Amino acid sequence: MLMCTYHSSMTLGNALDSARHQTCQNWELVILDNGSKDETITVLQEYERIDERIHVIYRDSNVGWRKGISLCLEKASGQYMMFLGADDYLPSDETLQEVTDEIRKNHPDIVWTGCGFAVWEDGAYRIAEQKIPPYRIYEQEDKLQIFAELMQKVYYNSVMHYVRIDFLKQYGIDFYEPYYGDCEGMTEAIARAGKMVVMDRMEYVLTTNTSQTATRVCFDYDTERQWKSIRQVLPENTEGKREILSYVAGRVLDNLVAICQSIVLGEPLTDRYMNPIERGFAERFLRVEEMISNDAMAEMMYWAGRESYAEYLLGGCRSCLLELEKTTGRYKNDRRKQPVDEQICSSDDAAG
């Protein structure tokens, strides 16, 4: 198991206890702390002292969880990895044993599991929703069909699942470069995997209201990488595949458009190390224009039946720019500002 911490003292103990209470004893937990200044360090040092399976890498500066995963992977000695969030937990003492039994039986590259979604309130967790897929083994089936089924049935774009470390190393997937984060990394893993198992059990609980990064967006996020991974498995003859291609392309496109909208609508930004950065609206607009002006985005828009998406999204961006000029007087002298199109849509239209 891998974990990254940063000012996580309120929930960290519960996450660590959920690992230590497992009936399966054959595990290690590699933790990278990103320079916490609260009681997180005290908690980590105590658990490191009482359990020799817990190993902590202490940093003075923050590199974020994406780079953190790659650094933890370098130190990991186990056969499989999964990422345990410092604000999440394993739902049962039998979780690791159940996953281990599945691994011993089928030896897959990836084990996908069901997930619970919890809310943390007043020092306690409440599970609000569960996503439990049907049991399935994938091996030689149509990979495009597999993508569609996983997108529908599991929380596919997350590293809370179990992935064989040798498999990750074979294809250079470390969740930082070149496959940045869980969406990109797990998409490439699906495209490359020879055998995958989907477990019909809730083996992870993700807390929805405590993430320190959920409201932040990476300013230089690569909008091409994920589709490039999917493109590897597209059949030469797409006849009869329009519906499934539309679904897969639309799922990826929706996530990317949400990122673009967050950038241009003024949401907090980070660099690739997930540290806060500031950018003016004109810079944000130009960045979004760059993000949606590539072949991968054009292909996704085509297959999703949204060929005019780029025009609508940029129209919405320019509308925001014009409104800011009216209300604040900002950006009037910014020579990088682009001319406003005659047809301008609202941000709701851009959201599709």
Side-chain angles (χ1 to χ4, degrees):
M1 291 179 286
L2 311 180
M3 177 185 289
C4 293
T5 56
Y6 182 72
H7 294 174
S8 310
S9 59
M10 288 190 298
T11 57
L12 178 57
N14 185 74
L16 296 176
D17 284 340
S18 75
R20 295 189 66 243
H21 294 164
Q22 293 296 307
T23 56
C24 173
Q25 299 294 306
N26 187 24
W27 56 266
E28 69 172 355
L29 177 55
V30 181
I31 305 172
L32 182 137
D33 181 77
N34 274 307
S36 294
K37 301 297 188 291
D38 66 349
E39 292 301 311
T40 298
I41 300 300
T42 302
V43 176
L44 289 173
Q45 290 174 340
E46 176 63 15
Y47 276 87
E48 198 174 18
R49 182 185 67 81
I50 64 177
D51 198 320
E52 61 183 10
R53 297 169 296 181
I54 297 176
H55 313 285
V56 184
I57 304 166
Y58 296 96
R59 290 187 52 87
D60 294 329
S61 59
N62 180 31
V63 294
W65 63 261
R66 295 179 177 105
K67 180 63 176 177
I69 289 179
S70 71
L71 295 174
C72 288
L73 275 172
E74 293 176 3
K75 303 292 185 181
S77 60
Q79 292 182 310
Y80 285 77
M81 67 138 284
M82 62 86 69
F83 186 80
L84 176 60
D87 55 345
D88 301 333
Y89 61 95
L90 303 178
S92 162
D93 293 350
E94 302 299 323
T95 290
L96 292 185
Q97 188 60 58
E98 291 169 354
V99 174
T100 297
D101 291 344
E102 197 62 52
I103 288 172
R104 287 173 176 168
K105 183 169 59 176
N106 287 299
H107 308 286
D109 292 323
I110 307 173
V111 177
W112 304 93
T113 71
C115 176
F117 298 89
V119 176
W120 191 79
E121 295 175 333
D122 301 322
Y125 292 91
R126 174 178 58 84
I127 294 180
E129 183 184 355
Q130 295 184 33
K131 191 177 185 71
I132 311 297
Y135 183 84
R136 183 71 188 270
I137 297 176
Y138 291 109
E139 195 162 9
Q140 301 297 331
E141 292 89 344
D142 178 348
K143 197 54 93 50
L144 184 62
Q145 180 66 38
I146 292 175
F147 263 109
E149 291 186 13
L150 290 176
M151 286 177 170
Q152 289 174 323
K153 296 175 182 178
V154 303
Y155 195 37
Y156 86 98
N157 53 354
S158 171
V159 282
M160 69 185 196
H161 306 284
Y162 297 77
V163 190
R164 187 164 58 83
I165 292 177
D166 285 348
F167 163 74
L168 291 173
K169 291 181 177 179
Q170 178 183 356
Y171 293 106
I173 305 171
D174 73 349
F175 302 99
Y176 182 73
E177 183 65 42
Y179 307 103
Y180 184 68
D182 41 11
C183 286
E184 294 183 11
M186 292 306 289
T187 299
E188 179 68 11
I190 296 170
R192 296 288 191 175
K195 187 175 187 179
M196 297 181 284
V197 174
V198 181
M199 295 181 64
D200 56 351
R201 303 188 185 194
M202 184 179 74
E203 305 287 21
Y204 193 91
V205 177
L206 186 149
T207 312
T208 59
N209 66 328
T210 55
S211 172
Q212 297 177 358
T213 59
T215 58
R216 301 178 185 273
V217 58
C218 180
F219 185 65
D220 64 346
Y221 194 89
D222 184 352
T223 54
E224 296 183 84
R225 182 70 265 172
Q226 200 174 356
W227 184 251
K228 286 179 179 178
S229 295
I230 295 174
R231 189 189 286 155
Q232 299 174 83
V233 306
L234 296 184
E236 291 185 12
N237 183 1
T238 58
E239 185 177 353
K241 299 286 185 179
R242 179 79 204 204
E243 184 175 351
I244 189 170
L245 266 168
S246 176
Y247 175 78
V248 172
R251 284 292 301 270
V252 178
L253 184 62
D254 286 343
N255 288 338
L256 296 174
V257 168
I259 291 172
C260 291
Q261 287 179 319
S262 294
I263 290 174
V264 81
L265 293 177
E267 294 295 329
L269 302 175
T270 71
D271 60 18
R272 289 180 67 82
Y273 286 139
M274 303 175 75
N275 289 305
I277 60 174
E278 296 290 338
R279 294 291 185 272
F281 188 87
E283 289 180 273
R284 289 170 179 255
F285 173 80
L286 291 174
R287 175 62 190 139
V288 168
E289 186 174 43
E290 180 184 19
M291 290 171 73
I292 65 177
S293 301
N294 57 63
D295 290 343
M297 289 292 282
E299 287 179 18
M300 282 184 279
M301 293 176 195
Y302 169 75
W303 287 116
R306 307 175 192 174
E307 292 89 337
S308 56
Y309 232 46
E311 180 183 347
Y312 291 157
L313 182 58
L314 287 176
C317 296
R318 290 165 180 157
S319 178
C320 291
L321 176 60
L322 190 61
E323 186 63 27
L324 278 170
E325 282 192 340
K326 290 178 180 178
T327 57
T328 68
R330 295 172 65 192
Y331 311 119
K332 284 185 177 180
N333 298 318
D334 192 333
R335 295 181 180 179
R336 291 173 299 178
K337 186 185 69 175
Q338 303 295 309
V340 178
D341 287 345
E342 292 182 2
Q343 292 185 343
I344 294 177
C345 70
S346 70
S347 57
D348 288 338
D349 293 330

